[in-house]
Amino acid sequence: MKALVLAVSAAAFTAALPASAGIMTIGGSYAEGCFRAAEQHSATLESLTTCDRAFSEQSLTREDELATYVNRGILRMMRSDFNRASLDFGAAIAMDPNRSEPYLNMAIMRFKQGKSAEALPLFSKAIELGTEVPEIAYYGRGLAHEDVGNVKAAYDDLQRAVSLKPKWEAPAKDLARYQVRRR
C-alpha cells in the first residue's frame, strides 16, 4: 500500500505540490481504494467510507494499516477536517516513528492551517527520515521559513527544492522573488 503526500501549497502551495510518496497495496482491497482516492484527490464521503471500511472489514498488515491512516488523513485534510486528519497522521507516526510520510503530511497540514512554526520541525523530520519526495519537504520548509521570517533559510530550502526537481515550476517561481545581494 502506498501512503501519499498531499499536494498543498501557500497561496500556490495549496495547488503546487504534486501528490506522491509512499506505500502501496496490490489487489482490489478497500485499503487500495483509499490509496487511489488520496492519489486522485477524491475527498468524497464515499472515499472516506472506503478508508473506514479498510479498517473495519479487512485484515490489514501493519504496513497497510499505517498507509491507510496516512491516506485517510490526506482525504480528511483535503476536506479541512484538520482535527481528524491530525489524529490519523498521529496514529501513523505512533505505529512507526521512522516513516517520513506521516510527518510530511502533518507538516503540510500545519502549514495549510497557518501554523508555520509547528510545520518546520515536521518538514525537517521528513527530510531527516529520507522522504521519497524531498523536493516537497524542502519547498514546504522554505515557505514555512519565509512565513516565520527566516529569509536565508527559506532561500536555501527553495534552492534545494529547485535543484531536486528543476522542472517543477512552483519552487522556481517562489525563488525568483528573491534578490541576492553580496555585501
Side-chain angles (χ1 to χ4, degrees):
M1 151 89 61
K2 196 164 185 117
L4 294 180
V5 175
L6 179 62
V8 186
S9 76
F13 198 54
T14 349
L17 291 178
S20 56
I23 332 164
M24 187 167 156
T25 271
I26 308 301
S29 69
Y30 290 121
E32 183 181 2
C34 183
F35 164 72
R36 297 283 174 226
E39 181 181 47
Q40 296 167 4
H41 298 173
S42 176
T44 64
L45 288 176
E46 182 180 354
S47 297
L48 286 170
T49 299
T50 298
C51 297
D52 293 341
R53 290 179 82 178
F55 290 115
S56 66
E57 297 181 25
Q58 287 184 252
S59 178
L60 298 175
T61 65
R62 187 165 174 79
E63 181 74 9
D64 285 349
E65 183 180 357
L66 183 148
T68 302
Y69 275 121
V70 172
N71 293 328
R72 186 175 69 179
I74 289 168
L75 295 174
R76 287 177 166 171
M77 179 180 17
M78 292 172 69
R79 296 177 62 84
S80 298
D81 186 353
F82 299 123
N83 290 334
R84 290 177 27 175
S86 185
L87 291 173
D88 280 342
F89 297 141
I93 289 169
M95 287 182 73
D96 186 351
N98 294 313
R99 292 300 297 263
S100 62
E101 296 87 358
Y103 291 101
L104 184 52
N105 282 292
M106 182 81 85
I108 290 167
M109 184 180 69
R110 292 292 181 241
F111 183 82
K112 184 176 181 178
Q113 292 176 286
K115 298 177 179 181
S116 293
E118 291 179 27
L120 282 168
L122 296 166
F123 281 122
S124 294
K125 186 71 172 177
I127 292 166
E128 172 190 324
L129 292 174
T131 177
E132 292 179 29
V133 286
E135 67 278 3
I136 292 174
Y138 280 105
Y139 179 54
R141 192 173 73 174
L143 294 175
H145 274 304
E146 186 174 355
D147 274 359
V148 300
N150 189 344
V151 177
K152 169 76 171 103
Y155 179 80
D156 291 344
D157 279 347
L158 291 172
Q159 272 194 314
R160 183 77 170 130
V162 168
S163 73
L164 289 167
K165 193 158 188 173
K167 293 183 180 183
W168 185 21
E169 292 179 15
K173 187 175 181 180
D174 282 312
L175 191 58
R177 295 182 289 113
Y178 286 79
Q179 294 180 359
V180 179
R181 296 187 182 133
R182 306 274 181 219
R183 293 181 186 201

